[in-house]
Every structure is written in C-alpha cells, then in structure tokens.
Amino acid sequence: MSTLGGFTGRPIPTNLLGEEKEDLRIDGRGCEDYRCIEVETDVVSNTSGSARVKLGHTDILVGVKAEMGTPKLENPKEGYLEFFVDCSANATPEFEGRGGEELATEIVNTLYRIFSNESTIDVKSLCINPREHCWVLYVDVLLLECGGNLFDAISIAVKAALFNTRIPKVRVLEDEEGSKEIELSDDPYDCIRLNVENVPCIITLSKIGCRHVVDATLQEEACSLASLLLSVTSRGTLTCMKKLGNGSLDPESIFEMMETGKRVGKMLHTSLQKILDKEESLGTTRQKGRVRRTNLACHCNGCNFFQQIFMALLFSHTLQRFGSPTNFCF
C-alpha cells in the first residue's frame, strides 16, 4: 500500500464558513488540499484486478473481473465495461435497508457517463471475434466507509483497479470445418494490460459561502449547498461535468471551479501514476499490511504561514504522544 501525501494547489483565502480570514479549514488544510490518500493494488485474489483506496475516513474497494461475453449489437467490434456499486450498511447507518440504492444508482450512472468517451479505454482491444466474442469487464465498487468526497475516492480506486487488471491472452483456432475454438493462455504473465492514461479522475469542488474547496469532509459537505463534479484527465481536459445539491452556482463561480478542478486534477493524476508505478514495481515482493509512504512536495505558490505553524505544532504533538510518525502523513 502506498500513500499520496496531502498535496496542495494554489491556496484561496477562505475558511469553512467562507469568511476571508485564513487559508485554513477546520482540519488545517488549505482550500485545494487533499487529505492523505492510501492506495493499495492487487488486494483481492479472485479478480482480474483490484484496488483499495482510503481517503481520510472514506474507504473504497474495487474489483475488476474479466469474463468472456458477446459484443453489443451497436458495437460489434468492441468489448465493454459494466459497473456495479454496493453501499455497505457498515459504511453509514443511512445505507441500512434500501437507503443506499439511490446513491449507488447515481454513482453507477456517473461512471457510465465518464467511460462513455471513446478515448477513455480502448474497448476495441477487448474484442476477440467481431460479433461473437469479447471481453466484458465487470467493475464492482464496494463502499466500506463514508467519510466525505465519495466520488473522488471511487474514481481513484476504479483507475487503480483497471491499471492492475490483467486479461489473459487468447488465440482463436479454426478447424477444417470452419468452427472456431478459443484457447486461453495458462501463463499468468502472458496477458493484456489496459492503458489507463486517459481514464479521468473526478474532482469534486464544494461551494461553501463564497469560496470552493476540494476533498470536502462530511462536516464540510453539510455546510455546502452546491457541489460541482468534474471529470479531469491527466492532461487537464474536462470530459464531463455534473452539479450536485440544491444550491445555485453563478457562471463566474463555475468558471473558477473548472479552472481549479483542471489544475488539481493534473496534480492528482501525476501523483497517482507515480504510486501505481511504484506498486507495480514491487510485484510479488510486496508485503501485505506494510504501509509504504510517499510524501509529495507542496505545489502551491506560497503556503499559508498559519497553516505551516499549525502543521508543525500538530507534528510535534504527534511525536511527543506516539513517537516515530511511521503511519502519519500530511
């Protein structure tokens, strides 16, 4: 498991209530700061790919299962992805009974919308026999704990799981009578890997007062009347946008949030790819249960002085109370 430290973008003066006093939120972060993100791949053995992402108190598990199916009539030369979301009742009491079905449907529809772009995943590479056989990727998302900013954490986990996915190579054999047989490779290393470079991540910006913040906690989400979900690629391109909440957003705010989302999204992709490459390089030598930390440098133009003091005091207090900060990161 690896960690994306709480990286920052250009700070915007605000606090939780939107008063122009300090670039500090109640947990000491700036407006464009993410919480510590823990990423672990290859966590479920009976899947083609899997990943677990912890973003603050939000915990997401994603498994990808590659199965052979029939291409869709409208796209006979392509494979396709199917998304399923399970809101565990242990994540929050609100999911008990049928409470999580509406949220699960909303998440599934959002994922389908993101991956509807042809450039997101090369689905043509999933085709085995046009009109006859293709690979179908079943992407199962399990919400283990909800601590705010679900959509961002889910998109990160989905991208990490797809990066980890290994699809067996197949050969199509044809006999003298013209009948075709499909032969799967037994070599686990003889597989197809997906190119996830163009898979976007969701950046959620929550409007609080007259300012907007990324990676909102549950408390911050309760103070926000409107949020903007932005699907951002590694090149900073917006592929889709969605508004959440009953509040209104003026055009100027939307433009500012879009620019912030593109800037933060590019940094998130860069940091995530480094972590995924690091996880991949470990191979079979990775040690389960061992936390591997990667602290990212600050990307802001000038960190707030009060934030630096706050984090220094917090770090000092942690040292005094717990000793060496092996499992502590900003």
Side-chain angles (χ1 to χ4, degrees):
M1 177 167 57
S2 301
T3 299
L4 282 70
F7 59 85
T8 65
R10 181 173 56 86
I12 302 176
T14 186
N15 65 4
L16 180 59
L17 300 178
E19 299 175 2
E20 299 183 25
K21 292 183 178 179
E22 297 176 355
D23 179 28
L24 282 177
R25 291 149 77 174
I26 55 175
D27 54 5
R29 290 182 292 146
C31 297
E32 297 181 11
D33 296 356
Y34 266 80
R35 290 168 290 178
C36 197
I37 307 175
E38 297 181 2
V39 180
E40 186 176 8
T41 57
D42 199 19
V43 292
V44 184
S45 59
N46 61 342
T47 60
S48 304
S50 59
R52 185 173 183 176
V53 169
K54 294 181 180 180
L55 175 57
H57 293 293
T58 297
D59 195 353
I60 306 295
L61 179 65
V62 174
V64 180
K65 189 72 173 179
E67 295 186 3
M68 207 167 295
T70 304
K72 296 181 179 180
L73 293 176
E74 61 272 23
N75 299 306
K77 297 183 179 181
E78 299 178 357
Y80 56 94
L81 286 75
E82 295 282 359
F83 294 97
F84 301 92
V85 176
D86 181 13
C87 299
S88 171
N90 295 327
T92 174
E94 298 176 3
F95 292 165
E96 293 183 359
R98 303 183 63 178
E101 289 186 3
E102 184 176 345
L103 175 61
T105 301
E106 184 178 10
I107 294 173
V108 167
N109 291 337
T110 301
L111 290 173
Y112 275 123
R113 184 179 177 186
I114 290 174
F115 282 85
S116 63
N117 193 315
E118 295 181 356
S119 62
T120 301
I121 286 286
D122 183 15
V123 290
K124 292 182 179 180
S125 65
L126 301 177
C127 181
I128 301 172
N129 267 338
R131 297 183 176 85
E132 295 182 8
H133 302 95
C134 71
W135 287 110
V136 182
L137 302 183
Y138 294 96
V139 183
D140 293 296
V141 180
L142 177 61
L143 278 61
L144 300 174
E145 187 176 359
C146 298
N149 202 19
L150 276 178
F151 286 90
D152 294 30
I154 289 173
S155 68
I156 294 171
V158 168
K159 180 168 183 175
L162 291 174
F163 176 86
N164 181 244
T165 297
R166 292 169 172 81
I167 305 173
K169 284 188 177 180
V170 298
R171 291 192 304 166
V172 180
L173 306 177
E174 187 174 352
D175 58 19
E176 296 178 354
E177 299 178 355
S179 59
K180 298 178 180 179
E181 292 185 358
I182 296 178
E183 183 181 90
L184 273 70
S185 175
D186 296 331
D187 186 355
Y189 296 99
D190 187 23
C191 58
I192 301 173
R193 301 298 298 273
L194 297 173
N195 183 2
V196 299
E197 181 181 359
N198 293 326
V199 174
C201 285
I202 295 176
I203 307 296
T204 304
L205 294 107
S206 302
K207 189 74 177 295
I208 301 177
C210 58
R211 295 289 183 265
H212 52 266
V213 300
V214 301
D215 187 25
T217 62
L218 286 176
Q219 293 84 355
E220 290 171 331
E221 289 179 348
C223 297
S224 175
L225 296 178
S227 298
L228 197 64
L229 268 65
L230 302 174
S231 174
V232 184
T233 67
S234 58
R235 298 179 180 178
T237 303
L238 293 179
T239 60
C240 70
M241 181 170 59
K242 181 179 181 180
K243 175 185 167 296
L244 298 179
N246 299 323
S248 61
L249 294 173
D250 60 272
E252 184 178 353
S253 295
I254 293 177
F255 177 77
E256 291 179 358
M257 295 167 83
M258 290 171 60
E259 291 301 312
T260 301
K262 289 190 289 184
R263 181 172 58 253
V264 174
K266 288 177 67 175
M267 291 189 295
L268 177 61
H269 277 287
T270 301
S271 304
L272 177 60
Q273 192 58 52
K274 290 179 180 179
I275 294 301
L276 293 177
D277 291 339
K278 180 180 178 181
E279 285 279 302
E280 186 70 15
S281 65
L282 295 173
T284 57
T285 63
R286 75 179 67 207
Q287 299 180 23
K288 297 294 182 182
R290 181 182 177 185
V291 181
R292 294 181 294 277
R293 301 289 177 183
T294 303
N295 294 320
L296 306 181
C298 178
H299 296 279
C300 61
N301 294 332
C303 288
N304 187 281
F305 176 71
F306 296 102
Q307 183 179 359
Q308 294 183 29
I309 294 178
F310 176 86
M311 300 309 287
L313 291 174
L314 183 60
F315 182 76
S316 175
H317 174 73
T318 304
L319 280 177
Q320 295 175 4
R321 185 174 180 182
F322 299 105
S324 178
T326 305
N327 296 328
F328 183 88
C329 71
F330 300 136

